[in-house]
Amino acid sequence: MQEFITIARVAKTQGRHGEVAAELHTDFPEKFAERKKLFALSADGKRRELQLEEFWSHKSYVVLKFAGVDSITDAEALVGCELQVPLEQRAALDAGAYVSDLVGCEVFDRERPVGTVKDVQFGAGEAPLLVVVQGSKEILIPFAQEFIAGIDIEGKRVEMKLPAGMLELDAPLSEEEKSEAGGAKSGSRKQEAGGR
């Protein structure tokens, strides 16, 4: 059975001639120029083949025009669908890896172990987010080119150079941070803590 990967999700109709606006789930929007055939996967699990006629960027979306989808009513049928390509047509990341290859890799920040990649999320920003399991918690790390120091898919290892403090963003607040967040009421507690 053929496997597919999702490269976009139709968010809404766009225009009066059947165009749709889609959220990108790929770092390679330029690949739409090569991809004339896409597959729309609807919520009920049905997949239909679509021929891409045109595409262009609009705000945070990519606008797509498919053959035979020529009205708002036609386009409404695609809203919510995942737009997919066969797995073998996936694009390699700049770092030379496929996103699906990253699941199960150990992530290191300057040789310090961070955790294991459980999943990869798209759509929140410019770069996909690695969902990294660290003990009992999950942390999200942008898989951005500027943070990647090296990838060894066979060795299941991702080396990163993360900005100072990034891994602490999800960390519980320290007593001092809690005091500062508490405002004037916590001022006396903060002084007591400082006096110890």
Side-chain angles (χ1 to χ4, degrees), residues 57-125:
S57 295
H58 178 68
K59 296 183 180 171
S60 61
Y61 297 104
V62 61
V63 178
L64 305 166
K65 172 66 180 84
F66 296 106
V69 180
D70 299 315
S71 69
I72 293 173
T73 305
D74 292 344
E76 283 172 345
L78 293 174
V79 173
C81 285
E82 291 182 25
L83 298 176
Q84 301 183 319
V85 294
L87 187 62
E88 65 270 12
Q89 290 179 20
R90 65 187 174 168
L93 293 166
D94 290 343
Y98 295 114
V99 169
S100 55
D101 293 337
L102 298 172
V103 175
C105 286
E106 294 295 322
V107 177
F108 292 84
D109 178 24
R110 295 176 178 84
E111 299 297 318
R112 189 179 85 186
V114 177
T116 306
V117 179
K118 173 185 162 189
D119 195 9
V120 183
Q121 291 180 358
F122 292 90

Side-chain angles (χ1 to χ4, degrees), residues 39-57:
F39 294 85
L41 178 68
S42 58
D44 63 6
K46 292 187 177 136
R47 188 177 281 117
R48 90 183 226 213
E49 187 177 316
L50 297 167
Q51 294 297 322
L52 182 62
E53 289 183 336
E54 289 182 81
F55 76 97
W56 61 92
S57 295

